[in-house]
Amino acid sequence: MITAVNTFLRVQSLFIGLLIFCHCCPVSARQANFNEPVDSLITHLPAMMRSNEPVARQMIDDLHRQSVQLNHRHGIIQSVFFRAWLSYRHSTADVAIAAIDSALQHLEGIDSDTALVKFYILKGQCFVKKTQFSKALENFNQAIKIAEKRNDQSSKISTLISIGWAYMEDGKPNEAIRFFMEVLQLNPSVNYENRAVLLCNIASCYNTTGNFKLAEFYALKGISAARSKVSSMDLANGLNILARSYYQQGKIEKAISFLKEAAIARGKNADPSMVASDYLELADLYSKKDQHAMAITWAKKAEALSAQNANSLKLAAAYKFLSSAYESMGDYKNASLYYKKILFQRDSLADDHYDQALAQMQVQFETQKKTAEILGLKKENLETKLQNSNQQRWLVLLVAGLVLLTASVVYIYTLMKSRYRTRLALEQLNEQKKRTLAVMEAEENERRRIAGDLHDGVGQTLAAASLQLNKARKGQVALDKVDELINQAGAEVRNLSHQVTPELLLHHGLVKALEQAVDRLNDAIDQPVFSLFPHIEEAVENEMASLTIYRCFQELCTNIIKHARASEVNVQLNLFPDEIQLVMEDNGIGFQPGMVPYGLGIKNIKSRLALYDGELMIDSTPGKGTTSIIQLKRAALMKTPAKAI
């Protein structure tokens, strides 16, 4: 906060100094210097609104006052935009939309101003807040059209971020990740101003898909970027998402610790929507710790804050949590009340789903009541029978029954254990046969490939050298051509040798080998462009496993180059302690899964992976590219040879 205030004071001092200096400057220079404080305020305001809103409000007032004094049209438009942004953050979405529409209709010069795109982006974000995603996308598309018409790359990137956020809020995390990744690729610098926002949003999407390891990885990167930019809003978002990843992994105490830190950061620059999210997260954590009273308290805080700010998205989440919490506690009256609120909010009293839920709760309540009455009657009857029965006779029968039950359990246990051992032995034998066949098939395919390379490459070159040698004997040509062909054959043999056993893989490991392979691919071809993103938590010591991953990478690259028509290929190598993961994403033409038969390359990959119980998953959509994921469990590596032959 001290740094933010100092920045503001330096801007103010610069403005005063320039006013004094302008009295002794020429007219043109004086006008340029007058504009400098306004331009500086416009530049620094977005970051200040993320880190210290009270100072940002004062800067907005100064921006408007100075712009009016200097007749700085762009400054006036920007001040109106920043005030609309504050309305979006603290008022209802309808209030913010009204302010934006008023600016678009009445603000002089806005149609030709560079800030026009920002108004459409903000209006789209307001509709996301209202959960009207189709209207949000209409405004985002309008913003992109304006940015493309003006060749405004920065505004186009901002719109892509907002579209990704809309998909994320609409429950479509995979589409959102693609937009966020595209923006990061366009802006790879660590100093990119929206880097923290993008990384945290990617982490949130991975939380939604259940990939908590990648969520934790991107959240930590986002938190680091937010700390370097001193952005309390982005820091709070990153801490919140990291906490969510931890409690999804069962690390409740860690999650609570980071969520409390997020609440402290959020308090420096309160956004009601985000604060409501923190309250709901805390409610969920307390629910997981079976502290239901505390969970309901925090959820009601989220309900009150969301209702006050007319945030229907967060209000629906609060209603849903409270209805489930009361139902799990057996408080069907309050649960029914919140289900009715959900129905009222959705404006669909005839919704079968919630009608059935209400009816089911009523039936459950009546059933439990009747069950309690029946149990009471049974208890009275049982006590009467026990008093009138012969206790000794029941004791003998009980002991006999226990002996018979124990003998039966021992017999069944012995029989089941024997069957289990037999079945396990058969399964291990079948698994060993499958692995052996897979290895034999992979080796046979490799022999065929080598034979083909020798016949088509080295064999043809040597045959040409033989013909040239015969001509040289007859004096028709010089020996230089023969020497050139023999050298060419030697080079082909060396290349084939490197393909059979990559030396870099054996001496420096899988990561270095993939880096070299990616570099060679990018040098050899114009399209697609390959990019490698390694994430290493534990190196791969098993050379056979490394060679298997490398061969699979080669086969997938061959398929992409031959069939995908892609311009970009992202390769992610994730070396987790319990798993090895290779992810290859291209932006090519894609295909309809099940409609296109897999070729020999895919069969070779599956044969190699069968040795390690590995998996190959392919996800593709026509026109939207293909994603291939290879997974190997490290536990399976212990059962296979470690050294490459």
Side-chain angles (χ1 to χ4, degrees):
M1 183 173 181
I2 294 173
T3 303
V5 173
N6 288 338
T7 302
F8 173 66
L9 291 175
R10 284 197 298 271
V11 172
Q12 296 299 311
S13 299
L14 175 62
F15 173 64
I16 294 170
L18 287 172
L19 283 177
I20 297 171
F21 180 72
C22 284
H23 289 290
C24 56
C25 288
V27 175
S28 59
R30 186 180 306 170
Q31 183 63 38
N33 289 336
F34 272 139
N35 292 338
E36 285 184 14
V38 174
D39 295 337
S40 180
L41 285 169
I42 293 172
T43 301
H44 290 92
L45 258 167
M48 189 61 67
M49 291 183 73
R50 291 182 176 276
S51 59
N52 194 326
E53 187 174 303
V55 174
R57 286 179 179 273
Q58 181 62 42
M59 292 173 68
I60 292 171
D61 293 340
D62 291 343
L63 172 62
H64 183 75
R65 185 181 67 256
Q66 294 176 24
S67 298
V68 171
Q69 291 174 353
L70 299 172
N71 195 23
H72 193 300
R73 183 55 49 190
H74 178 63
I76 294 173
I77 293 172
Q78 283 284 8
S79 67
V80 173
F81 169 76
F82 287 128
R83 285 173 177 169
W85 190 359
L86 291 176
S87 296
Y88 160 77
R89 180 180 292 177
H90 296 290
S91 301
T92 65
D94 290 330
V95 171
I97 290 172
I100 294 168
D101 287 340
S102 177
L104 292 174
Q105 293 172 11
H106 304 110
L107 203 56
E108 182 182 351
I110 192 172
D111 290 336
S112 59
D113 194 86
T114 56
L116 179 63
V117 177
K118 297 179 182 178
F119 281 91
Y120 281 105
I121 293 174
L122 185 59
K123 189 175 180 181
Q125 291 173 344
C126 291
F127 280 114
V128 172
K129 194 175 182 179
K130 288 166 64 68
T131 68
Q132 297 179 9
F133 298 107
S134 59
K135 290 187 177 180
L137 289 177
E138 287 177 7
N139 283 277
F140 291 148
N141 288 333
Q142 181 66 22
I144 285 182
K145 289 180 181 177
I146 296 171
E148 290 179 342
K149 184 178 180 180
R150 298 178 176 179
N151 197 22
D152 185 352
Q153 187 68 12
S154 176
S155 296
K156 182 178 179 181
I157 289 172
S158 298
T159 310
L160 291 175
I161 296 174
S162 296
I163 293 174
W165 175 63
Y167 276 121
M168 184 172 65
E169 291 292 338
D170 196 20
K172 298 176 181 178
N174 291 323
E175 289 87 344
I177 289 173
R178 289 181 182 177
F179 278 97
F180 296 144
M181 285 292 192
E182 181 179 352
V183 176
L184 279 178
Q185 290 170 6
L186 292 172
N187 300 274
S189 172
V190 295
N191 296 319
Y192 175 50
E193 60 179 353
N194 291 318
R195 183 174 179 82
V197 176
L198 291 167
L199 291 169
C200 292
N201 285 348
I202 292 171
S204 179
C205 292
Y206 276 123
N207 266 337
T208 303
T209 62
N211 196 333
F212 305 120
K213 287 285 187 181
L214 282 178
E216 178 184 346
F217 171 71
Y218 281 104
L220 288 171
K221 291 179 69 175
I223 290 169
S224 176
R227 292 189 195 279
S228 66
K229 289 288 184 181
V230 196
S231 174
S232 58
M233 181 186 298
D234 295 332
L235 176 61
N237 290 343
L239 291 169
N240 181 287
I241 293 164
L242 181 61
R244 193 181 314 160
S245 174
Y246 278 134
Y247 81 65
Q248 290 287 358
Q249 298 178 63
K251 303 173 182 178
I252 305 296
E253 295 302 326
K254 264 190 172 184
I256 291 176
S257 173
F258 281 106
L259 199 56
K260 287 180 178 178
E261 188 178 350
I264 294 172
R266 194 91 70 197
K268 296 178 180 179
N269 198 2
D271 180 343
S273 177
M274 295 295 101
V275 174
S277 294
D278 287 343
Y279 288 164
L280 288 173
E281 294 289 352
L282 282 167
D284 189 43
L285 286 176
Y286 279 115
S287 177
K288 290 182 182 296
K289 294 184 71 176
D290 294 327
Q291 297 181 15
H292 300 292
M294 287 295 295
I296 289 174
T297 299
W298 284 105
K300 284 188 173 181
K301 287 184 178 182
E303 176 193 5
L305 186 61
S306 300
Q308 179 183 350
N309 291 277
N311 189 334
S312 58
L313 192 66
K314 299 302 178 184
L315 193 60
Y319 287 162
K320 183 177 180 181
F321 181 89
L322 285 166
S323 61
S324 299
Y326 278 122
E327 184 177 359
S328 65
M329 294 174 65
D331 188 348
Y332 300 108
K333 180 179 179 180
N334 278 318
S336 175
L337 174 65
Y338 277 99
Y339 272 118
K340 287 180 180 178
K341 287 186 177 183
I342 293 173
L343 287 170
F344 180 77
Q345 186 197 39
R346 295 187 178 183
D347 196 24
S348 177
L349 295 175
D351 192 319
D352 292 338
H353 174 74
Y354 292 100
D355 284 343
Q356 290 174 3
L358 290 170
Q360 184 179 1
M361 284 192 296
Q362 186 65 31
V363 171
Q364 187 175 4
F365 175 77
E366 296 296 335
T367 302
Q368 287 187 350
K369 184 177 178 181
K370 290 180 180 179
T371 302
E373 294 175 353
I374 293 171
L375 288 175
L377 292 173
K378 286 185 176 181
K379 181 180 179 182
E380 293 177 359
N381 292 334
L382 182 59
E383 288 175 351
T384 302
K385 289 180 180 180
L386 287 173
Q387 290 175 0
N388 298 329
S389 64
N390 189 328
Q391 295 183 359
Q392 185 175 4
R393 183 184 62 181
W394 283 108
L395 182 62
V396 171
L397 291 174
L398 179 62
V399 171
L402 288 173
V403 171
L404 181 61
L405 179 62
T406 303
S408 300
V409 169
V410 171
Y411 174 78
I412 293 172
Y413 172 78
T414 304
L415 180 63
M416 294 297 293
K417 188 175 181 180
S418 176
R419 290 181 178 178
Y420 172 77
R421 288 177 176 174
T422 303
R423 186 170 66 253
L424 182 62
L426 289 173
E427 289 176 354
Q428 290 176 343
L429 181 60
N430 290 334
E431 185 64 25
Q432 187 62 36
K433 287 181 179 179
K434 289 180 181 179
R435 290 181 177 178
T436 302
L437 289 174
V439 172
M440 293 174 65
E441 183 179 355
E443 290 178 349
E444 186 61 28
N445 291 334
E446 192 68 13
R447 291 191 186 98
R448 289 173 183 159
R449 187 184 66 80
I450 294 171
D453 289 345
L454 287 172
H455 178 270
D456 297 336
V458 179
Q460 297 294 333
T461 304
L462 291 176
S466 177
L467 291 173
Q468 293 294 327
L469 184 60
N470 289 332
K471 291 181 179 180
R473 287 173 177 170
K474 298 176 181 179
Q476 297 177 357
V477 296
L479 290 174
D480 292 342
K481 186 64 176 179
V482 177
D483 185 64
E484 179 183 346
L485 289 171
I486 292 175
N487 288 335
Q488 181 180 343
E492 290 176 354
V493 170
R494 283 194 300 273
N495 289 336
L496 184 59
S497 174
H498 288 308
Q499 292 177 9
V500 173
T501 306
E503 294 295 326
L504 191 62
L505 177 68
L506 299 179
H507 292 95
H508 298 284
L510 179 58
V511 177
K512 290 293 184 182
L514 289 181
E515 288 176 349
Q516 184 191 65
V518 167
D519 289 340
R520 287 181 174 176
L521 285 169
N522 289 333
D523 289 339
I525 57 178
D526 293 330
Q527 294 288 347
V529 176
F530 287 79
S531 300
L532 177 65
F533 303 96
H535 173 62
I536 305 169
E537 294 183 12
E538 183 176 331
V540 183
E541 301 295 338
N542 191 308
E543 292 181 357
M544 283 295 293
S546 297
L547 186 59
T548 298
I549 293 289
Y550 185 84
R551 294 301 186 207
C552 293
F553 165 79
Q554 288 180 315
E555 294 284 1
L556 290 174
C557 287
T558 300
N559 281 351
I560 291 171
I561 294 170
K562 285 184 176 180
H563 308 296
R565 298 185 215 166
S567 62
E568 292 181 359
V569 181
N570 291 329
V571 182
Q572 296 184 40
L573 177 65
N574 299 315
L575 304 182
F576 299 125
D578 58 343
E579 185 180 83
I580 301 171
Q581 187 183 82
L582 178 69
V583 182
M584 296 185 65
E585 296 179 303
D586 67 72
N587 63 348
I589 60 174
F591 61 93
Q592 185 67 40
M595 301 298 292
V596 179
Y598 291 135
L600 181 61
I602 298 299
K603 293 179 180 178
N604 284 342
I605 291 175
K606 291 185 175 181
S607 298
R608 295 178 188 277
L609 294 178
L611 180 62
Y612 301 94
D613 296 332
E615 292 182 287
L616 169 64
M617 294 170 285
I618 299 177
D619 180 24
S620 184
T621 302
K624 294 186 178 180
T626 302
T627 300
S628 302
I629 302 175
I630 290 173
Q631 291 180 322
L632 293 181
K633 299 294 183 182
R634 287 189 182 265
L637 304 186
M638 305 299 295
K639 304 175 184 179
T640 57
K643 294 292 184 180
I645 300 174

